[in-house]
Amino acid sequence: MRIQPLLLAATLGLSSMAGAGAAMAAKSDSCAHCHGTDGNSSSGLYPSLAGQTKEYLYRQIMAFKEGKRKNAMMSPSVGILSEQDAKDLAEYFSSQNMLRSGSFKPDPALVDKGKKVAEEAQCAACHQPGYKGLNEFPRVARQKHAYIIKQLKDYRDGARTNDDGVMSATVKSLTDEQIEALGHYLGSL
Ligand code: HEC
Ligand code: HEC
């Protein structure tokens, strides 16, 4: 883990000698270890980036870079990125397809419950029909369920605060059980 910034420096250095497409592949190489070579991560610790909206990805990369959003695994990866790198990476990942996870077995009872909670809280009003996202509203459909659950708790408990209060207000009265159900529902879409 500690050599990550060095690896990143190496791939970015290479990228300046290559063409645009190869440069992009080299830049995203340093992300692939956690987020998957095609933007689909293989662990619930890491969000999939494939098919996420460009605007949202860019904002989050910049939030990590500026320290407004913090994570011990993620934060070290972005310090070296320029604003243009952030834009390029956002464009690159948003053009990929978010795949259904082979290993996730959603619990049908939790999926049902999560659907009801999402309807009552009107989550789709911002996240769009099918939870496919738009501009600064992230796609949440088919995202890793463990990651969704962690983010909702982080917003609720004040550990993630770069949302201008939008999400924290929405989730502040949700119980752990409701949040778990939302994770199963959204992850199953
Ligand atoms: C060592 C593992 C690791 C590496 C390498 C890494 N990330 Fe991450 N990334 C994470 C983790 C963990 C999170 C979720 C943090 C949290 O729980 O809030 C994350 C979150 C993100 C998010 C927010 C996604 C969302 O849905 O909100 C973006 C965007 C992102 N990473 C982009 C990148 C890019 C671009 C790179 C390469 C330059 C990269 N990451 C490299 C671990 C990593
Ligand atoms: C008023 C608009 C709005 C409503 C309603 C809303 N959201 Fe959000 N949501 C957002 C915005 C904006 C963000 C990105 C905030 C940020 O930058 O951290 C977000 C972020 C998220 C994330 C983090 C995504 C990621 O990749 O890290 C999840 C998960 C989420 N919302 C789920 C929900 C659920 C579930 C509900 C209903 C209980 C809901 N949202 C209701 C606007 C909304």
Side-chain angles (χ1 to χ4, degrees):
M1 200 71 85
R2 294 187 87 186
I3 65 169
Q4 197 62 39
L6 283 177
L7 281 177
L8 183 57
T11 51
L12 288 175
L14 273 180
S15 74
S16 61
M17 297 185 290
M24 210 48 249
K27 266 179 215 170
S28 63
D29 256 7
S30 64
C31 323
H33 178 60
C34 297
H35 294 290
T37 47
D38 62 353
N40 286 279
S41 95
S42 53
S43 153
L45 275 180
Y46 312 122
S48 286
L49 306 178
Q52 184 53 275
T53 75
K54 197 168 63 177
E55 175 76 18
Y56 174 77
L57 288 175
Y58 171 72
R59 283 177 180 231
Q60 298 306 311
I61 295 171
M62 293 309 286
F64 280 115
K65 192 173 159 59
E66 289 158 7
K68 291 179 189 149
R69 181 174 172 188
K70 293 194 183 75
N71 179 269
M73 286 181 283
M74 179 59 206
S75 299
S77 293
V78 291
I80 195 172
L81 300 178
S82 68
E83 227 178 294
Q84 190 59 47
D85 291 333
K87 281 188 187 138
D88 292 346
L89 286 162
E91 173 110 47
Y92 177 76
F93 285 114
S94 70
S95 69
Q96 293 171 319
N97 286 328
M98 197 185 275
L99 307 175
R100 199 177 291 282
S101 157
S103 57
F104 174 47
K105 303 271 176 288
D107 177 320
L110 287 178
V111 169
D112 271 2
K113 186 177 171 190
K115 185 168 193 281
K116 289 198 189 85
V117 177
E119 280 165 7
E120 275 159 25
Q122 299 187 329
C123 311
C126 293
H127 290 281
Q128 304 296 300
Y131 302 93
K132 291 202 164 72
L134 181 72
N135 301 330
E136 70 268 37
F137 300 113
R139 174 192 171 113
V140 286
R142 209 174 283 179
Q143 182 55 277
K144 298 278 161 201
H145 81 293
Y147 171 78
I148 291 177
I149 291 168
K150 176 177 181 285
Q151 299 310 305
L152 294 176
K153 288 184 180 168
D154 281 356
Y155 284 127
R156 185 190 62 186
D157 304 338
R160 179 171 169 182
T161 54
N162 64 307
D163 63 322
D164 296 327
V166 174
M167 275 305 298
S168 50
T170 309
V171 297
K172 69 174 186 298
S173 56
L174 294 183
T175 63
D176 282 0
E177 289 70 27
Q178 286 174 316
I179 286 178
E180 182 141 344
L182 284 167
H184 277 253
Y185 171 56
L186 296 172
S188 75
L189 294 175

